[in-house]
């Protein structure tokens, strides 16, 4: 491209790793193919409601409530294009409201979030026991002593918390943090079971309208056939 | 802008200044089987059968695994072929990225293109998702006026007058949402000269390219000498093939722009859904007859709507392309935001106000032709009743 653009363009993405190859999915339940074909036959190829189809949101809310004791309603769920979109939207949304750094647990989680921080041009701080003054959002990807300390820090400072279930689906403790739940969002998805279908979710409370609008500004809605296929799988599993 | 009608609910007042939010608020109110929706740009026609069958076959064949983030190689190649043959563009597969709809293409383009404070020229009125995409990258939108007397074509002198030292890019939309105007070949040639003279990037949104009405023709600015290296062309399958829900679009641009977009896309949404991409492949390589039939249907509906608006005494900009009639509602004496609300509440007709496409357009409505001719006629009959009741 014209020389005046080439170098800034390269600098802007220099820190980002080359696009990775998504892993092949597990063998799918027959229900997935049946759900997709049924949706195609019924002409479900047009825009869905921007938060996603109601039955899928209800099913996701039910699953999350069973897993994490959250008390979510379907209205507090937005279906996203993979967990990638959920994580990106959550971070981008909060950081558009609050200037500062992402504070996260050290190790694998910090390594995972670093490209997102680079993309959003913000600092990433790995928790080391000290309370940074410039933290704007907390990102928790796995349970453990660090996450407990971060939760306390978030509560003390009134900072939003993003809980990612993509790294470890074990109980991350959000269900017990009633004071935090109103300022938190859970991000997750069916990346392992259905990587090529691109299904994830945002689950939140107070901030959910803003998160939904941000997602809509990026992709309008999640692929319709993928949503019906995911619903068929979740119904078959229950 | 002050909405004076006391019957306008807070849910509309609170979002009246935000075009996107206003459109969605009206859509959320438009429930019930008797509502005739002439609002959203979602074709009411069925996705062509060969595309449905190809998607089903992909599912049966187990073609479910994720593709490279830039898209299925066969789809990228097919898109490049289409652009070479139909749009006379110099494009290879490496110049194409498959996106999760045209909306994501917009977002990614702005993310890779704009530094905070960069200015981007945008014709007004406009699809206000441009505003959001530009703002999310820290850019500044500079509006270029277009007008009814010129059928909302884009004037080269208006473009040049808006250029400052911070201008990085110009956005062209042809055919236009919301006006239905096109940027003619002659004007595009003049604009290309300006882009080269001022070293600007051009973003060309051509998502409605297949629906340009005779005697007008679509033309891609990227095909002009000196423009391939500085043009980012945005297009997709949603509008052409009535498959808005599958979320598959594409961008054609210099390879380094595509590489940058792919790097960003890996972290925003990952690759587009695989089955959706196979549907896109069937669309771009399949028969043209379904789209030709769509165009025939839209042409007929367009004429029906023009005839009815003429009979109602409402002026509209000549709809040279896309799905919309950009209608001057000023003579009704009712602000467009209020009129849209009243049309929905009392007439059970969803029509977007001009303020859904820019704050200066309180005297316009965007009326889509995405219903049967019988429903269009009924909608306009109801519209006339409401206008007569509230006309001042």
């Amino acid at each position: 491209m014209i020389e005046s653009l080439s170098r800034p363009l390269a600098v802007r993405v220099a820190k980002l790793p080359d696009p990775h190859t998504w892993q092949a999915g597990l063998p799918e339940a027959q229900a997935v193919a049946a759900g997709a074909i049924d949706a195609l036959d019924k002409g479900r190829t047009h825009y869905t409601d921007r938060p996603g189809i109601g039955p899928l949101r209800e099913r996701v809310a039910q699953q999350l409530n069973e897993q994490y004791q959250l008390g979510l309603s379907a209205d507090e769920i937005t279906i996203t294009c993979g967990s990638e979109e959920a994580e990106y939207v959550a971070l981008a949304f909060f950081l558009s409201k609050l200037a500062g750094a992402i504070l996260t647990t050290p190790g694998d989680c910090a390594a995972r979030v670093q490209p997102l921080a680079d993309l959003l041009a913000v600092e990433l701080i790995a928790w080391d026991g000290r309370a940074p003054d410039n933290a704007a959002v907390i990102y928790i990807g796995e349970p453990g002593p660090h996450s407990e300390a971060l939760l306390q820090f978030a509560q003390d400072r009134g900072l939003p918390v993003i809980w990612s279930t993509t790294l470890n689906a074990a109980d991350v403790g959000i269900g017990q943090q009633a004071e935090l739940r109103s300022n938190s969002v859970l991000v997750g998805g069916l990346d392992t079971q259905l990587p090529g279908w691109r299904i994830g979710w945002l689950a939140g409370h107070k901030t959910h309208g803003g998160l939904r609008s941000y997602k809509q500004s990026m992709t309008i809605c999640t692929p319709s056939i993928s949503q019906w296929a995911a619903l068929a799988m979740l119904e078959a599993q229950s | 802008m002050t909405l004076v009608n006391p019957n306008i609910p807070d849910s509309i007042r609170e979002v009246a200044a935000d075009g996107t939010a206003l459109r969605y608020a009206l859509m959320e109110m438009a429930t019930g089987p008797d509502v005739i929706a002439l609002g959203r740009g979602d074709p009411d026609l069925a996705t062509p059968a060969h595309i449905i069958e190809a998607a089903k076959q992909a599912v049966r064949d187990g073609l479910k695994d994720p593709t490279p983030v830039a898209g299925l190689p066969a789809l990228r190649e097919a898109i490049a072929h289409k652009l070479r043959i139909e749009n006379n563009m110099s494009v290879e597969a490496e110049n194409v990225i498959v996106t999760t709809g045209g909306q994501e293409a917009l977002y990614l383009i702005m993310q890779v293109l704009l530094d905070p404070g960069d200015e981007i020229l945008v014709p007004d009125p406009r699809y206000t998702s441009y505003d959001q995409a530009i703002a999310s990258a820290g850019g500044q939108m500079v509006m270029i006026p277009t007008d009814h007397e010129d059928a909302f074509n884009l004037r080269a002198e208006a473009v040049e007058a808006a250029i400052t030292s911070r201008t990085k890019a110009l956005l062209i939309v042809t055919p236009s949402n919301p006006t239905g105007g096109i940027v003619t070949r002659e004007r595009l040639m003049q604009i290309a000269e300006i882009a080269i003279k001022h070293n600007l990037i051009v973003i060309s949104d051509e998502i409605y390219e297949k629906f340009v009405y005779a005697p007008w023709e679509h033309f891609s600015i990227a095909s002009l000498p000196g423009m391939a290296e500085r043009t980012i062309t945005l297009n997709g399958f949603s509008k052409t093939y009535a498959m808005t829900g599958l979320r598959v679009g594409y961008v054609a641009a210099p390879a380094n722009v595509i590489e940058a977009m792919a790097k960003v896309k890996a972290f925003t949404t990952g690759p587009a859904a695989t089955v959706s991409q196979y549907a896109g492949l069937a669309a771009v390589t399949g028969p043209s007859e379904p789209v030709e039939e769509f165009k025939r249907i839209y042409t007929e509906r367009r004429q029906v709507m023009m005839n009815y608006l003429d009979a109602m005494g409402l002026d509209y900009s000549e709809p040279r392309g896309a799905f919309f009639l950009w209608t001057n509602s000023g003579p009704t004496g009712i602000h467009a935001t209020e009129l849209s609300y009243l049309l929905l509440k009392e007439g059970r007709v969803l029509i977007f106000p001009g303020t859904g496409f820019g704050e200066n357009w309180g005297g316009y409505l965007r009326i889509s032709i995405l219903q049967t001719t019988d429903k269009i006629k009924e909608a306009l009959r109801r519209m006339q009743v409401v206008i007569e009741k509230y006309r001042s």
Side-chain angles (χ1 to χ4, degrees):
Chain A
M1 199 159 201
I2 55 174
E3 188 55 32
S4 61
L5 181 65
S6 295
R7 273 172 293 177
L9 198 64
V11 166
R12 197 172 296 117
V13 298
K15 285 186 178 179
L16 297 177
D18 285 332
H20 58 271
T21 302
W22 272 254
Q23 294 301 311
L26 300 172
E28 292 168 353
Q30 270 191 313
V32 173
I37 289 173
D38 182 65
L40 287 162
D41 281 338
K42 288 177 175 165
R44 288 172 168 160
T45 55
H46 294 264
Y47 290 126
T48 70
D49 289 341
R50 55 180 172 159
I53 59 174
L56 179 58
R57 291 187 284 121
E58 287 170 9
R59 183 63 62 163
V60 170
Q62 180 185 344
Q63 179 173 301
L64 293 176
N65 289 340
E66 287 170 358
Q67 240 177 326
Y68 303 115
Q69 297 84 51
L70 291 171
L72 291 165
S73 70
D75 287 343
E76 293 162 319
I77 305 292
T78 293
I79 306 299
T80 58
C81 301
S83 63
E84 286 84 359
E85 187 181 30
E87 290 191 316
Y88 179 84
V89 166
L91 284 168
F93 173 75
F94 286 125
L95 290 166
S96 72
K97 306 293 179 190
L98 300 161
I102 303 169
L103 178 61
T104 189
T105 50
D108 289 344
C109 189
R112 174 185 167 84
V113 181
Q114 185 65 62
L116 285 163
D118 291 339
L119 183 56
L120 293 166
V122 298
E123 182 184 1
L124 178 73
I125 302 172
W127 178 257
D128 62 0
R130 289 175 291 182
D133 290 331
N134 61 333
V137 60
I138 311 295
Y139 181 102
I140 296 180
E142 54 199 350
H146 296 298
S147 59
E148 290 166 11
L150 281 173
L151 284 179
Q152 187 61 56
F153 177 74
Q155 193 171 331
D156 292 344
R157 297 281 183 96
L159 295 177
V161 179
I162 300 170
W163 301 80
S164 171
T165 59
T166 56
L167 285 179
N168 189 330
D171 182 1
V172 296
I174 187 174
Q176 287 75 47
Q177 303 291 335
E179 301 83 10
L180 283 174
R181 277 159 48 192
S182 66
N183 203 21
S184 299
V185 59
L186 196 68
V187 300
L190 299 175
D191 307 294
T192 303
Q193 301 102 307
L194 301 175
W197 296 86
R198 317 305 300 132
I199 292 290
W201 51 73
L202 289 155
H205 293 265
K206 183 172 70 174
T207 54
H208 206 74
L211 291 163
R212 180 170 293 174
S213 293
Y214 201 104
K215 180 269 190 293
Q216 180 272 325
S217 76
M218 281 179 60
T219 55
I220 298 182
C221 68
T222 295
S224 53
I225 302 304
S226 296
Q227 292 188 59
W228 289 103
L231 175 63
M233 184 186 79
L234 293 176
E235 287 179 339
Q237 287 175 344
S238 65
Chain B
M1 174 183 67
T2 302
L3 302 178
V4 299
N5 190 315
N7 294 316
I8 304 299
D10 288 344
S11 60
I12 299 298
R13 289 184 186 281
E14 287 165 1
V15 297
D18 179 332
T20 303
L22 176 59
R23 298 197 308 272
Y24 274 99
L26 288 166
M27 280 196 285
E28 284 171 12
M29 291 174 59
T31 56
D34 61 333
V35 172
I36 300 177
L38 299 179
R40 195 174 203 183
D42 188 2
D44 62 308
L45 304 174
T47 308
H50 74 279
I51 296 171
I52 296 292
E53 188 49 42
K56 287 165 63 176
Q57 193 59 47
V59 173
R60 292 188 202 105
D61 291 343
L63 300 174
K64 58 175 174 59
D65 290 331
T67 73
V69 72
L72 191 66
L75 179 55
R76 295 175 74 192
E77 181 53 56
I79 291 167
H81 178 79
K82 176 262 188 229
L83 292 172
R84 289 193 298 266
I85 302 301
E86 294 184 1
N87 301 74
N88 203 29
M89 290 166 57
S90 176
V91 178
E92 301 296 331
E94 65 175 5
N95 301 116
V96 174
I97 182 169
V98 180
T99 58
T100 305
Q103 188 90 343
E104 193 202 26
L106 266 174
Y107 187 88
L108 293 174
I109 289 168
M110 301 307 171
Q111 288 293 316
V112 300
L113 197 64
L114 299 178
D115 286 308
D118 281 347
E119 292 178 357
I120 174 166
L121 309 181
V122 178
D124 186 51
R126 74 277 178 192
Y127 177 50
T128 50
S129 288
Y130 300 141
D131 305 33
Q132 295 170 306
I134 292 166
S136 72
Q140 296 293 320
M141 188 176 68
V142 175
M143 290 189 288
I144 308 173
T146 60
D147 58 72
H148 194 126
E149 289 67 37
D150 194 34
F152 295 95
N153 202 340
L154 190 58
R155 291 193 175 90
E157 56 271 26
V159 171
E160 192 158 36
I163 294 172
T164 73
S165 61
R166 304 265 6 210
T167 306
K168 177 164 276 183
L170 162 67
L171 175 65
I172 292 172
V173 191
T174 181
S176 165
N177 170 18
T179 69
I182 63 166
V183 187
T184 54
R185 178 191 297 238
E186 178 190 38
R187 297 277 181 97
L188 287 172
M189 293 171 71
Q190 295 167 356
I191 289 166
E193 288 180 10
I194 291 170
I196 293 169
K197 173 182 171 185
H198 293 277
N199 204 19
L200 298 182
I201 305 301
V202 173
I203 304 165
S204 184
D205 182 345
E206 302 179 15
I207 206 148
Y208 293 98
E209 66 158 339
K210 291 294 188 181
F211 305 117
V212 177
Y213 306 104
W216 308 101
E217 292 181 340
H218 179 71
F219 185 77
S220 294
I221 195 171
S223 66
L224 289 169
M227 292 306 293
E229 65 169 21
R230 63 178 69 250
T231 304
I232 301 172
T233 303
L234 183 162
N235 209 323
F237 301 98
S238 294
K239 311 298 185 179
T240 301
Y241 300 97
M243 46 192 266
T244 51
L246 298 193
R247 313 312 301 131
V248 57
Y250 58 89
V251 170
N256 63 341
V257 175
I258 299 300
E259 288 164 12
M261 290 177 67
K263 278 198 169 187
V264 173
K265 183 167 171 45
F267 293 98
T268 54
T269 60
T274 304
V275 170
S276 296
Q277 291 192 60
Y278 278 102
L281 181 60
V284 73
T285 59
S288 61
E289 286 80 3
V291 177
E292 290 165 7
E293 176 62 9
F294 286 171
K295 186 174 176 181
R296 187 197 67 75
I297 291 169
Y298 295 144
T299 302
E300 178 186 344
R301 294 174 177 183
R302 167 181 173 269
Q303 190 62 55
V304 166
M305 184 164 288
M306 290 196 293
N307 293 344
Y308 266 71
L309 291 174
D310 289 340
M312 290 167 68
L314 289 176
D315 190 19
Y316 49 86
S317 178
E318 182 182 14
R320 297 175 175 178
F323 301 145
F324 314 109
L325 272 83
W326 188 240
T327 302
N328 184 355
S329 57
T332 66
I334 310 166
H335 189 283
T337 303
E338 297 173 278
L339 181 54
S340 285
Y341 171 72
L342 293 169
L343 286 170
L344 185 55
K345 179 171 180 288
E346 298 195 14
R348 308 301 288 152
V349 174
L350 174 63
I351 289 173
F352 286 153
T355 44
F357 305 93
E359 53 276 22
N360 299 320
W361 301 97
Y364 276 80
L365 299 171
R366 189 193 82 170
I367 312 176
S368 90
I369 55 172
L370 299 175
Q371 290 288 352
T372 63
T373 52
D374 285 346
K375 285 192 175 180
I376 287 172
K377 292 173 186 176
E378 172 61 16
L380 294 177
R381 185 196 68 76
R382 296 182 193 177
M383 180 175 166
Q384 179 137 33
V385 169
V386 172
I387 288 173
E388 290 309 316
K389 179 177 177 182
Y390 288 98
R391 184 190 293 266
S392 60

